[in-house]
Amino acid sequence: DIQMTQSPSTLSAYVGDRVTITCRASQSISGWLAWYQQKPDKAPKLLIHRASSLESGFPSRFSGSGSGTEFTLTISSLQPDDFATYYCQQYDSYPLTIGGGTKVEIK
Amino acid sequence: EVQLVEWGGGMVQPGRSLRLSCTTSGFNFGDYAMSWVRQAPGKGLEWVGLIRYRALGGTTEYAASVRGRFSISRDDSQSIAYLQMNSLRSEDTAVYYCTRAPTGNGYKYFFDYWGQGTLVTVSS
């Protein structure tokens, strides 16, 4: 199974900060990576697929990059609505696996 | 508007069975794979399994933690996906989300729409 490791698990930041979340795969997944945003007591929402394709409805301050085993999600200027938990998911092979999540908190 | 609504959750004793349903609307159900993802209380997301669309044989894949106990099926005529859960254990307690999986990448699936989730509690 491909293990997905996110870091950090918790991140405290100020509004306006540039934030970077890392997701590492235990083996190469090419670019088959998705990111999700989950707010408390809500279902996750697809944020990015194919490592860097931003979903409509999300602002351009969100971006994704990477390939192979290392991927990043960047928020260029953190806004109050961005405080949430973010998950990465690999869909290169089965079983599909999801990272442990990164909770972005207000500092 | 794409909508997925799960129902059938509740409290069940260990060893018993439960079937979840996911009713959908707003898209051509038969053109998509469907998947289930769960989230234990206070924990992260865990993929449970998926069913491919008919053109790919409607075949299924499961996580090791549920393989042999859970099964996913679909009724394309009614646009409903099902998750049959047998031999339930306390560690299956979670919110279960139904998700839509776009099929544009062959067998590569991510989840572009999610239902609101239904809570399954396994306890005596």
Side-chain angles (χ1 to χ4, degrees):
Chain A
D1 298 5
I2 299 176
Q3 307 301 317
M4 304 301 292
T5 304
Q6 288 183 235
S7 60
S9 56
T10 304
L11 186 159
S12 296
Y14 293 105
V15 171
D17 282 353
R18 181 181 181 87
V19 165
T20 299
I21 298 169
T22 298
C23 176
R24 289 188 174 88
S26 59
Q27 63 191 71
S28 177
I29 58 170
S30 186
W32 303 111
L33 185 98
W35 290 96
Y36 302 89
Q37 178 193 66
Q38 185 179 34
K39 295 185 179 179
D41 298 319
K42 298 291 186 182
K45 291 184 178 179
L46 176 66
L47 173 58
I48 285 171
H49 72 276
R50 204 63 171 95
S52 61
S53 294
L54 184 67
E55 290 299 298
S56 59
F58 282 96
S60 59
R61 62 179 179 271
F62 290 93
S63 63
S65 64
S67 67
T69 62
E70 187 147 340
F71 301 84
T72 58
L73 172 67
T74 300
I75 309 172
S76 60
S77 177
L78 197 65
Q79 297 302 302
D81 191 49
D82 303 337
F83 291 95
T85 301
Y86 295 85
Y87 294 92
C88 61
Q89 175 232 335
Q90 68 82 15
Y91 53 106
D92 178 67
S93 64
Y94 295 97
L96 305 181
T97 46
I98 303 172
T102 296
K103 185 175 183 180
V104 178
E105 297 179 329
I106 301 172
K107 196 167 188 178
Chain B
E1 179 191 6
V2 172
Q3 289 193 320
L4 298 84
V5 178
E6 307 91 340
W7 49 285
M11 182 172 287
V12 61
Q13 293 179 328
R16 305 298 289 264
S17 298
L18 200 63
R19 187 176 81 160
L20 304 183
S21 302
C22 173
T23 57
T24 73
S25 61
F27 64 101
N28 191 346
F29 182 81
D31 288 343
Y32 290 84
M34 298 298 295
S35 188
W36 292 87
V37 177
R38 68 184 180 182
Q39 186 169 35
K43 302 297 185 182
L45 302 172
E46 179 187 16
W47 175 71
V48 172
L50 65 79
I51 184 165
R52 297 182 180 90
Y53 67 138
R54 185 164 45 185
L56 289 183
T59 52
T60 53
E61 303 281 352
Y62 299 98
S65 58
V66 306
R67 193 177 299 124
R69 299 188 300 123
F70 290 13
S71 64
I72 299 173
S73 60
R74 60 189 298 155
D75 183 339
D76 287 1
S77 68
Q78 306 242 29
S79 301
I80 300 175
Y82 299 100
L83 176 63
Q84 177 68 41
M85 303 183 292
N86 300 329
S87 303
L88 282 160
R89 306 166 179 168
S90 58
E91 55 263 38
D92 296 319
T93 294
V95 173
Y96 284 75
Y97 294 103
C98 171
T99 73
R100 190 182 82 164
T103 54
N105 296 302
Y107 286 77
K108 310 288 190 186
Y109 299 116
F110 58 92
F111 318 121
D112 65 349
Y113 283 91
W114 298 59
Q116 84 289 350
T118 187
L119 176 63
V120 173
T121 303
V122 184
S123 175
S124 55

